[in-house]
Amino acid sequence: MSSPEEPQLATPETEISEGEVDANLGLNKALDTYRKLIEKKDGKEPLSEKDQANLEDKIKEIEEREVVEKIDDHDPVEIPCEKGKITIGPPTLTRFEQARIMGARALQLSLGAPPFITIPKNARISLDISMEELEQKVIPITIRRVLPNGDYQNIPIDYFA
């Protein structure tokens, strides 16, 4: 009895690691998208030879750039608030910051903390009182806004417009 030989599939050997393939795949996809955007910008007419050469030069420049994934040697630094100037983010409280402040203050009030203002007649719940306190900017709170590199700015609530 002889056993039938199983056909073996030939697999090409590659010396590129998986990390390089993923990086090149993403870069190639981004460059293809960039090329399509530039070519569609003019509309119906194809790019002239000069424009095509400029596009290829820009693509080569992008391909040669060094990719910085993470810099480990940066220690977060506080950016000071000089003369009430807010350098990180918008000059007003964002809706998320407002919600966080009002929610935290309403919880404090509901747990028995004394209010910083006289309680308005139309206030029915602690959230109404915290909204009024926020409008009058009497809550002693500081907002910390953080940049992606870890640098941050502590901004007192008085500085917001």
Side-chain angles (χ1 to χ4, degrees):
M1 289 200 226
S2 64
S3 63
E5 292 185 23
E6 294 181 17
Q8 294 185 355
L9 299 174
T11 56
E13 295 183 20
T14 58
E15 297 194 18
I16 300 173
S17 68
E18 289 182 26
E20 292 177 19
V21 170
D22 292 341
N24 289 338
L25 182 65
L27 178 63
N28 291 338
K29 190 173 181 180
L31 289 175
D32 289 341
T33 304
Y34 178 71
R35 181 177 282 119
K36 289 176 186 176
L37 285 173
I38 297 298
E39 289 173 351
K40 287 183 179 180
K41 191 181 282 186
D42 292 334
K44 300 174 184 174
E45 299 177 15
L47 294 177
S48 66
E49 289 181 20
K50 183 179 178 182
D51 292 336
Q52 189 69 24
N54 287 341
L55 176 62
E56 293 302 323
D57 289 341
K58 286 181 183 179
I59 289 176
K60 284 180 186 174
E61 179 184 327
I62 292 170
E63 286 175 338
E64 292 172 359
R65 289 182 187 165
E66 180 183 354
V67 176
V68 178
E69 300 213 2
K70 186 175 182 183
I71 300 174
D72 293 330
D73 58 352
H74 178 74
D75 293 327
V77 178
E78 180 178 357
I79 300 169
C81 277
E82 297 175 0
K83 301 177 185 174
K85 185 176 181 183
I86 299 172
T87 56
I88 298 177
T92 60
L93 283 171
T94 65
R95 60 185 176 160
F96 307 104
E97 292 166 340
Q98 287 176 350
R100 178 72 188 264
I101 293 168
M102 287 188 301
R105 184 63 185 146
L107 178 64
Q108 291 172 355
L109 290 168
S110 67
L111 293 175
F116 294 116
I117 59 170
T118 58
I119 299 176
K121 299 253 186 224
N122 60 354
R124 295 181 0 202
I125 57 175
S126 58
L127 190 58
D128 295 334
I129 299 169
S130 67
M131 286 192 317
E132 187 62 32
E133 286 180 344
L134 184 60
E135 286 176 16
Q136 294 181 18
K137 296 181 183 176
V138 295
I139 304 173
I141 196 164
T142 301
I143 302 295
R144 175 174 283 189
R145 290 186 175 166
V146 183
L147 291 174
N149 67 357
D151 293 350
Y152 59 92
Q153 185 174 29
N154 293 328
I155 310 164
I157 205 164
D158 303 347
Y159 288 14
F160 291 100

